Amino acid sequence: MTTEVGPETEVKKDSEQVGADASEEATQSQEDIKCEKTLSEEAQDSPSSPALASQSSPSSQKKEKDLSESKGISRFIPPWLKKQKSYNLVEPKDEAKKKAVEEGQAVETGECQLPEEVTPPEGNLEKATAESQQVAKANDKEEEKHSLSSADTQPAKEDSKETEIKKVSEEQEEKQKIEGKRETKEVQTAEIKMEKAPKKIKTVQCKVMLLDGTEYSCDLEKRAKGQVLFDKVCEQLNLLEKDYFGLLFQDNSDQKNWLDSSKEIKRQIRNLPWLFTFNVKFYPPDPSQLTEDITRYFLCLQLRQDIASGRLPCSFVTHSLLGSYTLQAELGDYDPEEHNNDYISEFQFAPSQSKEMEEKVVELHKTHRGLTPAQADSHFLENAKRLSMYGVDLHHAKDSEGVDIMLGVCANGLLIYKDRLRINRFAWPKILKISYKRSSFYIKVRPAELEQFESTIGFKLPNHRAAKRLWKVCVEHHTFYRLVSPEQPAKAKFLTLGSKFRYSGRTQAQTRQASNLIDRPAPYFERTSSKRVSRSLDGAPMGIPDQSLLRDFSATTVGPAGGVVFDGEAVGQAKLKDGKGRDEDGSPTKTPQLELTQDEKDLDKTQDDLLKHQASISELKRNFMESTPEPRPSEWEKRRITPLSLQTQGSSHETLTVVEEKKQAEVGIEETVVIDEINRGKMQADTDAGETHKVEHLSKKDSSSSSSSDSSSSSESEDELVGEYQPQHRVTEDIIREEQEENEGAKKKEERATEIIQSVETLQEGSKLKVTVEHSQVTAKALTQENAVTIKTGEKNVMEEGKREENEEQLKINGDVSHVDIDVASQIICCSEPPVVKTEMVTISDATQRTEISTKEVPIVQTETKTITYESPQFDGSAGGDTGLLLSAQTITSESVSTTTTTHITKTVKGGVSETRIEKRIVITGDADIDHDQALAQAIKEAKEQHPDMSVTRVVVHKETELEEGKE
Amino acid sequence: MAGLGLGDGGSLGRCSHAVVRSLSESLCQHALRREKGKEVDFARAEREHQLYVGVLKSKLGLQVLELPADESLPDCVFVEDVAVVCEETALITRPGAPSRRKEVDAMKRALESLNLNIVEMTDENATLDGGDVLFTGREFFVGLSKRTNQRGAEILADTFKDYAVSTVPVYDSLHLKSFCSMAGPNLIAIGSTEAAQKALKTMQQMSDHRYDKLTVPDDAAANCVYLNIPGKGHVLLHRAPEEYPESAKVFEKLKDHMLIPIANTEMEKVDGLLTCCSVLINKTSEL
């Protein structure tokens, strides 16, 4: 959430200086400003930034800001990542070339942003307006960046840190105002804004089938992201441990798709009705580790559906046993008077249940006497979790020989079934890469013990959508269950081909941690009868008419408009729930209302009859031992929502710089990844508020190539044909190595190294201006702010060997890259410039430049070069002249054919504060086969895991692409 | 509630009943065997079998149903192949060897008398020998051998829906359990031959669960009978030291087990091992 104004301004300046780039950069700066805005709601003047035209009404802007503040999901994403969303490409200098280039860029931008952003330009305008936070850009194309804004639309939940950040940002804003403004752009922006303003209000009614068979409906902003709806539903349900759940929608081919929280709903469901099903997405392998009974309850409801629909196969005995726990949970102790033989036939325990089974259920029910509903649920789950198909998401496929098989994705990996028989299994650690191409799905598997080579196994899916769906599910499951924290989608942006999709939610590890912080009293909730659930609600069998249901519910009143879209039976059961109550005060209006239905002991929900409901409880002699005082969701919700990283951040400062360089096509691809980590032993208390993050984006294109579209562009559209994902493992040591091995092609040429260096040089060229600007800005801010935080000394730079890449990096770090030739000396000089950087500052600088690259080294090949830098300047603009005392410095270099890893460890002491900086540079070299994003991601991941308390502060991607005509 | 619910592997070997069958004299001449070898000493085979049954009955206190021999069924003593019992459900198999198909009848009656849920494998295309079925307490492994085919395994999977059923190719042995068996709740006894080790690797890869392994020098000795008897704890019937001294030494390292060496020399000549001669059942409730 930490974004800094500073860099933007820099960017602006920069852009001004480089006249040609002005427009693009302006956009970027706008974006940045937007981020800034979110932070600084208190800023009086709307025109916090020049780009944001003053014309637009301040108040409206303000509101927008407020909205954006909350950015639900984005909070959980490391700041530097978020940056990327707003990342922009530089516009071509030449107007003539502009358009063509823009197209390519637009797509690219899409990559960087959340996937949906990739969609065609036309939508962009609308988007911008809908998400008010976005300032319309002069160029339509550039509006693609709006992803960020949409993410922000969630209900605001603030934590203390944010407030801090706000303060900072305020200051920054002021500065910005002072900075020069560009009138033209302002005007344009304003205009666009005004036009769009009315659209903002558009809302759509959304319906969500809940696990208990009721329907929840609410109005959503048309451009709301999935997260908004999901959060609303969870709030309605009073569910805190929500990371295990998700929303499903059914596409035209009746396939179920998970709603991506990070993307706009509209873009995902397209023309489908706004109709969703709330389901368990990740089945907890050990439900007893869930913190709250209410979570277990929802899991039980899901499993009852799974079982009744046959998706979760059970033996007779297990059906009976689970059924008996269901009875115990819902009806309480067996009561011979009340529970005659009929009571049971209304429940569904199995896809087809015999009288014999029902008798067995009753028999077992009698033995559960005394179990509370919560206990019964726990027993239920303890048995259900051992079922072999528990939590296995099945997908139809064919193997390489065309034989029908099923692929099952689960917590531990990928299972291959043929007619219910498990014929193979690939645990996540075994899988090196997951990809899909058109309708094929591939896994690359680690070599077996005695084998030397990885093997790639392909499966054929019914169509490419199915392949992609499977791929996404794999990516998500791997991330959720296997990783400590989600992989950074960031790299996705660097990716040149295929889907950028990554799981953006919390991992199991993270959600468990978060759950530990829950300390509300156990929330009161009502268990509803599962008979309805199992028969009607269940996603799969929904279309199957169930006579008994109709019979049971025909007499019941149906909530207004309930289940309009659902088939009759569903309608009967669906009740419209009004979520408003909750929203108002956050108090648990959640308690479902129950009403005794006319017939028998069937419980039915109605909107308003709480009293009746209670009466019914007593009638049914339910034993709600676990129900407790009312929860106060609003309180702990906050806590819970606060990203863990932020919470614990206070004492450590982290930076990580990643530089990736990429060359593509026949020329081969080289990637350089530099990971720079800084660990500060001590930080001043106030630093916790913010890491400063700066994102720079440098883009260069060979002039000769400007007319062709970027070969690396890709989109996350539903139709995209390829996607890759390389699972990362908790033990990441060998990831890079694996990567190398994969890139056999890379081993051939050493010449490429030269190319890399060259590209690096150009990169620096391009970046210098911006960086310089940054510095001044940073300095200024630092001065204004009282608390000086730990300062990073630039001494480390001196220590470092004169390696070229390093030099380059140094330059960037220092922020002063004024030399085309890089040499250490100059760097040092530069270092001395910026005195103090305040860590609380949030910086986003997104600058792109276009420069020409001489292609002489590769004469025949037209190349396109792009450089993207993400940097978080917090780690001190590298005050080389600082007073820090260098304690020790160490450089370790290891090289292999395709990878060079350089590690610098520098310890300095300054004013009693000791700092250890670990800088890691990883250069990955390879040809087109390499998945650079993956490689980069892995490098980052590895670095992060090795130094969990550090963060990535800078990512530089340099990419050179051979351009082919007509190729996208 | 004991006995109900899915095991976590800890209930493996729980056993109240056993079904065995006497040897038919035709065994010596007509029992199927993979390779010609020494002639079976019937008297000695009978003695060994009686000892085996005696251990189950007297020493371990199981209720043993002894089915009479049928001279027309030379292999009838190997009851394991004709039924797979897990919890309250019994799958009556369709043995891979046509000459053995009639063996199921007596078994079916016996199991019915125990009030088990009986499932019959009626599919003409399916074959399954119980000797190819390894139940670990958490999941099934089914060897695909000359006696057991995919369809048979599918039916087994349909019968025991709670559990994962993974298939393991078996090439050089009669059955999957010709070189392995469970020696404890989480312990797989495995032979040392390449085929055995390879099969183990397959099983390990297929499983979400990590098993310990007990490697014994002799494949045949890796076939042992593990029981968990109230009051006696872990009980392991394994091959006698006179037969497989090296393997016996390995078993003797199992300190927590009550070890009962049992000679099975004669039956082995016709590919019969320790698990082959009984079907173990854990009856927890009388329906």
Side-chain angles (χ1 to χ4, degrees):
Chain A
M1 216 13 303
T2 56
T3 49
E4 192 193 337
V5 181
E8 312 164 0
T9 9
E10 302 165 7
V11 175
K12 289 170 201 164
K13 285 182 182 176
D14 182 7
S15 60
E16 287 181 354
Q17 296 173 1
V18 185
D21 303 346
S23 61
E24 261 283 3
E25 289 186 343
T27 339
Q28 287 183 343
S29 59
Q30 289 173 355
E31 277 258 45
D32 299 343
I33 292 162
K34 166 187 54 186
C35 300
E36 172 189 349
K37 277 200 219 161
T38 55
L39 298 177
S40 59
E41 42 175 348
E42 305 176 359
Q44 268 205 356
D45 298 341
S46 52
S48 54
S49 72
L52 288 184
S54 49
Q55 277 97 343
S56 58
S57 76
S59 58
S60 67
Q61 279 193 352
K62 236 192 159 182
K63 286 175 185 174
E64 295 169 6
K65 290 177 195 170
D66 296 350
L67 259 190
S68 59
E69 265 186 53
S70 53
K71 320 195 160 177
I73 286 194
S74 54
R75 276 191 205 182
F76 306 118
I77 304 174
W80 70 278
L81 232 188
K82 290 176 194 162
K83 291 323 180 49
Q84 298 169 353
K85 291 174 188 166
S86 58
Y87 126 112
N88 248 334
L89 290 185
V90 181
E91 271 198 9
K93 295 176 184 175
D94 303 340
E95 280 291 325
K97 296 173 182 175
K98 213 179 184 178
K99 290 222 166 176
V101 179
E102 275 178 1
E103 284 205 9
Q105 287 183 342
V107 185
E108 274 241 347
T109 320
E111 294 174 13
C112 302
Q113 303 164 349
L114 298 185
E116 79 256 36
E117 301 286 344
V118 184
T119 48
E122 45 160 66
N124 297 336
L125 260 186
E126 295 181 5
K127 240 193 255 172
T129 47
E131 308 164 356
S132 48
Q133 307 157 7
Q134 306 269 351
V135 181
K137 330 262 158 114
N139 296 325
D140 295 352
K141 317 249 165 161
E142 303 185 359
E143 297 181 5
E144 306 247 340
K145 302 123 199 206
H146 304 286
S147 58
L148 225 197
S149 62
S150 53
D152 299 347
T153 43
Q154 303 175 345
K157 297 163 188 174
E158 310 177 358
D159 43 36
S160 54
K161 283 170 191 171
E162 276 196 340
T163 354
E164 292 189 15
I165 296 174
K166 284 175 205 160
K167 292 177 188 170
V168 178
S169 54
E170 280 186 19
E171 295 183 7
Q172 295 174 350
E173 278 188 353
E174 291 182 4
K175 291 172 193 170
Q176 279 199 344
K177 294 173 198 166
I178 299 172
E179 307 254 354
K181 303 174 183 178
R182 268 169 237 122
E183 301 83 353
T184 44
K185 274 166 201 169
E186 292 176 10
V187 176
Q188 288 178 351
T189 321
E191 285 177 5
I192 297 175
K193 256 207 161 181
M194 296 176 71
E195 291 172 7
K196 311 288 176 163
K199 281 187 184 174
K200 207 165 41 169
I201 311 168
K202 274 198 178 175
T203 58
V204 180
Q205 202 193 31
C206 239
K207 291 188 177 142
V208 181
M209 286 304 279
L210 303 179
L211 286 166
D212 63 359
T214 58
E215 187 185 276
Y216 165 78
S217 73
C218 64
D219 288 336
L220 275 189
E221 201 181 320
K222 209 174 174 188
R223 310 207 164 268
K225 297 210 168 184
Q227 187 72 34
V228 177
L229 177 60
F230 183 67
D231 285 344
K232 279 193 170 202
V233 173
C234 289
E235 193 183 356
Q236 166 73 20
L237 294 172
N238 206 8
L239 176 64
L240 294 184
E241 298 175 279
K242 55 188 178 186
D243 301 292
Y244 301 96
F245 301 83
L247 293 173
L248 280 173
F249 64 94
Q250 216 155 354
D251 63 22
N252 290 326
S253 47
D254 273 354
Q255 294 299 313
K256 305 224 168 172
N257 297 273
W258 290 109
L259 187 68
D260 190 332
S261 294
S262 62
K263 298 159 89 177
E264 282 181 30
I265 298 172
K266 186 164 157 281
R267 299 211 171 261
Q268 300 179 63
I269 62 173
R270 299 186 175 181
N271 297 326
L272 300 167
W274 288 56
L275 188 57
F276 305 92
T277 324
F278 181 79
N279 267 43
V280 172
K281 184 173 190 182
F282 303 111
Y283 289 74
D286 186 358
S288 66
Q289 285 195 22
L290 295 173
T291 297
E292 296 201 300
D293 286 339
I294 192 171
T295 315
R296 272 185 286 272
Y297 168 64
F298 289 124
L299 178 58
C300 282
L301 291 180
Q302 175 72 66
L303 288 167
R304 281 167 198 156
Q305 283 185 25
D306 293 346
I307 290 167
S309 68
R311 266 179 312 207
L312 180 56
C314 298
S315 67
F316 174 89
V317 174
T318 302
H319 274 135
S320 310
L321 181 63
L322 295 178
S324 67
Y325 284 124
T326 299
L327 288 188
Q328 182 69 21
E330 296 181 356
L331 303 182
D333 289 349
Y334 177 79
D335 181 339
E337 292 181 8
E338 206 168 332
H339 300 152
N340 53 35
N341 283 339
D342 291 342
Y343 84 108
I344 193 170
S345 54
E346 289 167 10
F347 288 83
Q348 188 173 6
F349 307 108
S352 60
Q353 72 192 44
S354 57
K355 198 74 191 164
E356 186 189 5
M357 182 181 292
E358 291 177 357
E359 285 166 5
K360 182 83 176 170
V361 171
V362 175
E363 177 194 321
L364 291 169
H365 181 197
K366 294 173 184 169
T367 69
H368 301 325
R369 182 165 296 279
L371 288 186
T372 65
Q375 288 170 331
D377 280 350
S378 291
H379 281 99
F380 179 96
L381 293 174
E382 282 309 294
N383 283 279
K385 77 174 188 190
R386 296 203 184 103
L387 293 167
S388 77
M389 298 306 285
Y390 173 84
V392 178
D393 187 19
L394 285 179
H395 298 253
H396 286 281
K398 289 183 192 298
D399 66 10
S400 54
E401 292 164 1
V403 177
D404 282 321
I405 56 171
M406 298 284 273
L407 301 181
V409 185
C410 68
N412 295 322
L414 191 60
L415 302 167
I416 318 295
Y417 294 92
K418 180 167 180 282
D419 296 317
R420 287 143 298 185
L421 295 175
R422 190 184 288 185
I423 56 173
N424 214 336
R425 170 180 173 273
F426 301 98
W428 293 127
K430 277 276 278 180
I431 301 178
L432 295 173
K433 186 155 102 178
I434 309 167
S435 57
Y436 74 95
K437 189 170 188 179
R438 297 196 180 84
S439 61
S440 294
F441 174 80
Y442 302 96
I443 55 174
K444 181 181 271 187
V445 182
R446 197 182 290 273
E449 229 170 84
L450 299 177
E451 294 168 6
Q452 279 189 322
F453 303 103
E454 305 99 6
S455 49
T456 296
I457 302 164
F459 304 94
K460 195 81 179 163
L461 277 95
N463 52 56
H464 87 266
R465 293 174 71 95
K468 183 180 179 182
R469 195 164 45 237
L470 170 60
W471 177 79
K472 284 171 101 169
V473 168
C474 283
V475 169
E476 292 182 321
H477 274 69
H478 173 264
T479 307
F480 184 81
Y481 289 110
R482 184 89 186 135
L483 298 186
V484 175
S485 59
E487 202 182 336
Q488 310 301 351
K491 49 192 164 176
K493 299 171 180 181
F494 309 140
L495 230 186
T496 48
L497 280 176
S499 171
K500 307 301 172 215
F501 173 81
R502 292 296 183 269
Y503 174 64
S504 59
R506 285 194 289 202
T507 64
Q508 179 174 242
Q510 288 173 324
T511 195
R512 278 183 182 166
Q513 272 185 296
S515 298
N516 287 337
L517 300 175
I518 295 177
D519 65 347
R520 66 171 174 183
Y524 175 84
F525 60 95
E526 186 63 82
R527 286 178 167 78
T528 51
S529 168
S530 69
K531 22 188 168 177
R532 301 209 261 112
V533 173
S534 51
R535 296 194 173 174
S536 68
L537 212 213
D538 172 47
M542 197 153 59
I544 305 166
D546 188 319
Q547 300 304 334
S548 62
L549 262 182
L550 292 174
R551 182 192 356 117
D552 289 348
F553 293 96
S554 54
T556 342
T557 48
V558 178
V564 168
V565 193
F566 290 88
D567 58 297
E569 136 201 18
V571 174
Q573 304 173 0
K575 304 284 143 68
L576 202 64
K577 269 195 183 176
D578 189 356
K580 278 184 185 174
R582 311 205 81 243
D583 296 344
E584 290 167 5
D585 53 2
S587 68
T589 54
K590 144 81 180 148
T591 50
Q593 297 105 357
L594 284 186
E595 174 187 32
L596 252 188
T597 47
Q598 293 81 341
D599 52 87
E600 299 145 350
K601 11 198 150 347
D602 184 20
L603 277 183
D604 197 8
K605 269 190 189 175
T606 63
Q607 302 205 24
D608 44 350
D609 216 335
L610 198 66
L611 290 178
K612 268 191 183 177
H613 140 239
Q614 271 159 2
S616 74
I617 291 182
S618 56
E619 274 188 57
L620 294 176
K621 300 184 180 178
R622 291 195 181 180
N623 188 3
F624 291 99
M625 306 267 299
E626 83 284 15
S627 54
T628 56
E630 295 191 345
R632 279 160 239 142
S634 52
E635 281 185 5
W636 62 264
E637 176 109 305
K638 265 189 220 162
R639 221 172 302 140
R640 193 181 132 273
I641 285 173
T642 306
L644 293 170
S645 58
L646 281 181
Q647 290 175 342
T648 53
Q649 215 168 25
S651 57
S652 70
H653 209 49
E654 324 155 355
T655 45
L656 171 58
T657 304
V658 178
V659 177
E660 176 182 324
E661 303 187 33
K662 193 184 283 188
K663 281 200 175 190
Q664 238 190 349
E666 299 163 4
V667 181
I669 300 172
E670 288 91 0
E671 290 189 6
T672 309
V673 178
V674 177
I675 300 165
D676 188 357
E677 298 184 359
I678 298 177
N679 189 8
R680 299 185 180 177
K682 304 174 187 174
M683 292 282 296
Q684 299 188 353
D686 50 340
T687 61
D688 60 348
E691 304 177 353
T692 324
H693 290 271
K694 176 184 60 179
V695 178
E696 281 182 50
H697 177 207
L698 309 180
S699 165
K700 303 176 186 180
K701 271 198 176 181
D702 188 334
S703 58
S704 62
S705 65
S706 57
S707 61
S708 59
S709 59
D710 184 355
S711 65
S712 65
S713 66
S714 76
S715 71
E716 163 64 22
S717 75
E718 292 302 321
D719 300 323
E720 73 201 354
L721 295 181
V722 293
E724 280 192 355
Y725 176 75
Q726 281 171 340
Q728 301 176 359
H729 309 290
R730 286 181 177 143
V731 187
T732 48
E733 289 178 0
D734 28 29
I735 285 178
I736 295 295
R737 222 174 302 136
E738 294 165 9
E739 192 60 26
Q740 297 172 358
E741 291 171 3
E742 289 176 359
N743 307 331
E744 296 175 0
K747 299 175 185 173
K748 307 170 192 170
K749 312 173 184 178
E750 293 197 357
E751 324 158 352
R752 287 176 195 161
T754 3
E755 293 174 358
I756 298 178
I757 293 169
Q758 288 167 350
S759 57
V760 170
E761 288 177 0
T762 40
L763 162 66
Q764 292 165 355
E765 238 182 346
S767 63
K768 56 183 158 186
L769 284 177
K770 285 166 234 157
V771 181
T772 313
V773 177
E774 270 177 37
H775 264 294
S776 53
Q777 172 107 14
V778 171
T779 312
K781 285 176 204 160
L783 291 176
T784 50
Q785 294 171 353
E786 298 178 359
N787 24 9
V789 193
T790 316
I791 300 166
K792 206 60 180 198
T793 63
E795 294 175 4
K796 154 198 148 224
N797 300 333
V798 182
M799 301 307 302
E800 293 174 0
E801 24 174 88
K803 261 198 165 185
R804 272 183 151 186
E805 292 115 359
E806 285 181 329
N807 293 342
E808 166 219 351
E809 188 203 349
Q810 296 301 334
L811 288 175
K812 283 174 196 153
I813 292 173
N814 298 336
D816 188 354
V817 188
S818 48
H819 311 270
V820 178
D821 331 335
I822 303 143
D823 79 15
V824 183
S826 61
Q827 292 173 9
I828 296 173
I829 294 170
C830 304
C831 297
S832 58
E833 242 190 74
V836 181
V837 174
K838 179 151 191 186
T839 46
E840 291 180 3
M841 292 188 311
V842 182
T843 305
I844 299 179
S845 94
D846 209 344
T848 48
Q849 285 193 348
R850 171 172 298 267
T851 61
E852 294 193 359
I853 288 185
S854 69
T855 53
K856 54 190 172 185
E857 309 85 19
V858 196
I860 307 178
V861 183
Q862 284 186 332
T863 60
E864 174 183 50
T865 309
K866 248 181 301 177
T867 305
I868 304 164
T869 307
Y870 298 99
E871 184 170 347
S872 123
Q874 73 196 23
F875 77 84
D876 24 79
S878 60
D882 239 86
T883 57
L885 173 62
L886 177 66
L887 284 186
S888 67
Q890 192 180 4
T891 302
I892 305 161
T893 307
S894 65
E895 285 188 55
S896 69
V897 186
S898 59
T899 310
T900 305
T901 306
T902 311
T903 309
H904 298 283
I905 304 173
T906 317
K907 287 186 185 169
T908 56
V909 175
K910 182 201 161 200
V913 179
S914 74
E915 270 182 15
T916 303
R917 165 186 282 210
I918 301 171
E919 176 177 326
K920 221 177 246 194
R921 171 186 294 263
I922 302 161
V923 182
I924 302 168
T925 309
D927 61 11
D929 287 345
I930 301 183
D931 184 333
H932 295 268
D933 291 352
Q934 298 298 349
L936 176 58
Q938 285 178 348
I940 295 171
K941 187 89 197 170
E942 178 181 22
K944 284 199 138 188
E945 286 181 0
Q946 283 177 356
H947 310 281
D949 47 354
M950 304 185 186
S951 70
V952 178
T953 47
R954 203 161 59 111
V955 179
V956 178
V957 179
H958 185 80
K959 183 166 43 181
E960 230 172 89
T961 312
E962 180 193 357
L963 294 168
E964 295 180 19
E965 293 251 337
K967 188 184 176 185
E968 279 215 353
Chain B
M1 262 336 333
L4 270 187
L6 296 179
D8 55 2
S11 61
L12 180 74
R14 287 278 163 76
C15 179
S16 61
H17 292 69
V19 180
V20 299
R21 195 163 190 179
S22 303
L23 297 82
S24 63
E25 291 185 35
S26 55
L27 173 103
C28 304
Q29 295 302 319
H30 301 291
L32 301 171
R33 50 201 297 175
R34 297 179 70 232
E35 50 197 32
K36 274 286 173 200
K38 292 177 188 168
E39 195 164 315
V40 175
D41 177 342
F42 184 75
R44 191 175 169 194
E46 227 173 10
R47 275 202 306 280
E48 287 175 347
H49 189 63
Q50 280 163 7
L51 179 66
Y52 176 89
V53 175
V55 165
L56 296 178
K57 199 190 294 184
S58 314
K59 198 158 187 170
L60 302 178
L62 303 183
Q63 303 218 26
V64 179
L65 279 70
E66 293 187 69
L67 307 180
D70 184 333
E71 286 305 317
S72 67
L73 301 170
D75 291 299
C76 68
V77 66
F78 303 124
V79 288
E80 174 189 50
D81 290 326
V82 297
V84 177
V85 179
C86 180
E87 286 146 14
E88 300 280 313
T89 303
L91 173 65
I92 306 295
T93 70
R94 187 167 179 276
S99 64
R100 300 191 59 188
R101 302 260 160 84
K102 285 199 161 30
E103 291 179 30
V104 300
D105 300 335
M107 177 59 74
K108 185 183 163 199
R109 284 192 296 273
L111 295 177
E112 278 170 347
S113 73
L114 291 172
N115 275 322
L116 294 173
N117 307 315
I118 306 286
V119 178
E120 289 184 81
M121 191 176 285
T122 51
D123 190 323
E124 300 266 309
N125 297 317
T127 63
L128 181 90
D129 275 14
D132 277 318
V133 179
L134 177 67
F135 179 63
T136 69
R138 302 170 189 271
E139 62 193 312
F140 285 95
F141 293 105
V142 178
L144 296 180
S145 64
K146 292 197 173 70
R147 298 284 182 84
T148 299
N149 64 16
Q150 179 94 9
R151 183 74 193 120
E154 284 169 23
I155 292 172
L156 180 120
D158 280 344
T159 307
F160 304 104
K161 287 198 180 75
D162 292 347
Y163 296 98
V165 178
S166 306
T167 53
V168 184
V170 173
Y171 299 111
D172 298 330
S173 309
L174 177 64
H175 287 139
L176 176 63
K177 281 197 282 190
S178 298
F179 51 78
C180 68
S181 64
M182 295 308 289
N186 195 31
L187 183 63
I188 297 179
I190 186 76
S192 297
T193 62
E194 197 178 318
Q197 291 295 321
K198 192 177 173 192
L200 177 67
K201 283 231 163 52
T202 304
M203 290 191 280
Q204 285 171 333
Q205 180 184 334
M206 299 274 239
S207 176
D208 292 326
H209 186 73
R210 287 178 174 272
Y211 296 100
D212 299 325
K213 64 172 180 178
L214 180 71
T215 308
V216 297
D218 309 289
D219 275 7
N223 181 290
C224 54
V225 177
Y226 169 77
L227 295 157
N228 186 349
I229 306 293
K232 296 191 170 57
H234 303 295
V235 178
L236 194 66
L237 279 58
H238 66 89
R239 299 297 290 274
E242 310 85 67
E243 301 175 298
Y244 295 106
E246 294 305 314
S247 295
K249 281 181 196 164
V250 175
F251 284 118
E252 280 157 13
K253 288 177 186 163
L254 295 172
K255 296 302 178 196
D256 294 339
H257 289 57
M258 173 197 277
L259 297 172
I260 305 177
I262 292 186
N264 193 40
T265 321
E266 298 308 312
M267 229 88 92
E268 189 181 334
K269 292 173 182 172
V270 287
D271 306 323
L273 299 174
L274 289 180
T275 61
C276 300
C277 300
S278 61
V279 171
L280 303 176
I281 297 147
N282 192 32
K283 282 295 292 179
T284 56
S285 60
E286 299 299 329
L287 279 178

